[in-house]
Amino acid sequence: MVSLFIQLKHELKRFNAQKESIETIFIGGGTPSTVAPELYKDIFTFLKPYLQKNIEITSEANPNSASYEWLEGMYELGVNRISFGVQSFDETKLKVLNRAHSPQMAKDAIKNAKEIGFKNLSLDLIYATLGDTKELILHDINIAFTLPINHISAYALTIGEGTAFEHKPQMSSEQLEITSWIFDTIKDKGLPQYEISNFGEYQSSHNLGYWKYTDYMGVGAGAVGKLDLTRFYPNPDIEEYILNPCVMREESLTSEDKKIEQYFLGMRSCVGIYADLFTSQERKQADILVQENKLDFIDNTFYNKDFLLADEITLFLTA
């Protein structure tokens, strides 16, 4: 925690943070629920002067470690949104994914959070995994909608370097048709899609901040921050981070980098792209897509109708 305080102070100074200037907080990394609420208390006390009055404070939680006492303690600290790493309500699939919780643990944790007073609750579902069928995925979605949530994040399983499935590429197999069906099913059941992986009656302000290309602090080993045209990468090695929390790699972005990133982000979300960002040629390309019913043009902003086509549309716009 000492290292976090050191980096927090460093980042607040870098970002020139003023009183009540922090709009959202996201406590992530998947395992915040393994840390007792009392260990977060000093951080919350330190940050209190910087927090806006209606701030969104989200914590991720694993169902097996998000006990009633932990949820209650985080609620008392001021956390007002929980994102549960459920992944599936199928016992076999959870074992395939090496998850430590059972379907019942996930259900109980979400119901406990609601009982404690959390108004905004989200859960993650994973698809495109070995053994997935439409019936299994529909089962997961149906159970999700019986729970007191107002947000779902749906992610395709991706195999990353250094992960548990690094040498098992067969674990992941995404099919565009199935992905499109999953998205339509969640929307049809009442949660509108506001970016490529997120659906909600309540749209997470923190999530939308990334899509709007706002600046953000990343505090902790492996976290990422962005200020203007610079990204900051603290050391991902925990031991080295503890020794040197303020040492980080910087990445300088060009104006063109920023523009392309804004295009990709805008086309993958409800944020869209302001027409003023386009060159005259890009505007002609965008108008073609409006004529072909691929984009909507509302209030000087272009909106994508199908987030799964975001990359192709962006490449067409910038060709």
Side-chain angles (χ1 to χ4, degrees), residues 174 255 309 313:
E174 184 174 8
S255 296
L309 296 178
I313 288 174

Side-chain angles (χ1 to χ4, degrees), residues 98-157:
N98 293 330
R99 304 300 294 181
H101 65 271
S102 67
Q104 191 59 49
M105 285 180 186
K107 297 173 190 175
D108 291 345
I110 293 168
K111 290 176 182 177
N112 286 341
K114 183 66 174 181
E115 180 180 309
I116 287 166
F118 288 98
K119 291 183 174 61
N120 295 313
L121 296 172
S122 178
L123 62 81
D124 294 351
L125 293 178
I126 293 288
Y127 62 92
T129 66
L130 184 68
D132 267 351
T133 62
K134 273 192 173 182
E135 290 75 20
L136 190 158
I137 295 168
L138 183 59
H139 172 261
D140 282 344
I141 294 172
N142 284 339
I143 291 182
F145 275 89
T146 68
L147 297 168
I149 60 169
N150 57 6
H151 190 281
I152 288 176
S153 296
Y155 301 111
L157 178 67

Side-chain angles (χ1 to χ4, degrees), residues 14 161 167 182 275:
R14 185 209 302 279
E161 185 178 346
H167 302 296
I182 292 168

Side-chain angles (χ1 to χ4, degrees), residues 93-99 129 157-172:
K93 183 171 176 176
L94 287 171
K95 290 178 180 177
V96 169
L97 292 170
N98 293 330
R99 304 300 294 181
T129 66
L157 178 67
T158 55
I159 308 298
E161 185 178 346
T163 65
F165 300 131
E166 179 180 4
H167 302 296
K168 297 180 179 180
Q170 73 277 11
M171 285 293 299
S172 177

Side-chain angles (χ1 to χ4, degrees), residues 153-226:
S153 296
Y155 301 111
L157 178 67
T158 55
I159 308 298
E161 185 178 346
T163 65
F165 300 131
E166 179 180 4
H167 302 296
K168 297 180 179 180
Q170 73 277 11
M171 285 293 299
S172 177
S173 177
E174 184 174 8
Q175 300 175 45
L176 189 60
E177 178 190 353
I178 299 297
T179 299
S180 183
W181 169 79
I182 292 168
F183 290 179
D184 288 341
T185 301
I186 295 174
K187 288 185 286 186
D188 289 345
K189 286 183 172 291
L191 290 183
Q193 186 178 25
Y194 68 98
E195 56 109 322
I196 193 164
S197 299
N198 285 309
F199 308 75
E201 294 172 356
Y202 174 85
Q203 296 181 357
S204 168
S205 297
H206 191 86
N207 286 350
L208 284 173
Y210 295 120
W211 300 104
K212 292 177 180 177
Y213 213 73
T214 56
D215 291 331
Y216 51 90
M217 289 183 280
V219 180
V224 179
K226 184 185 79 68

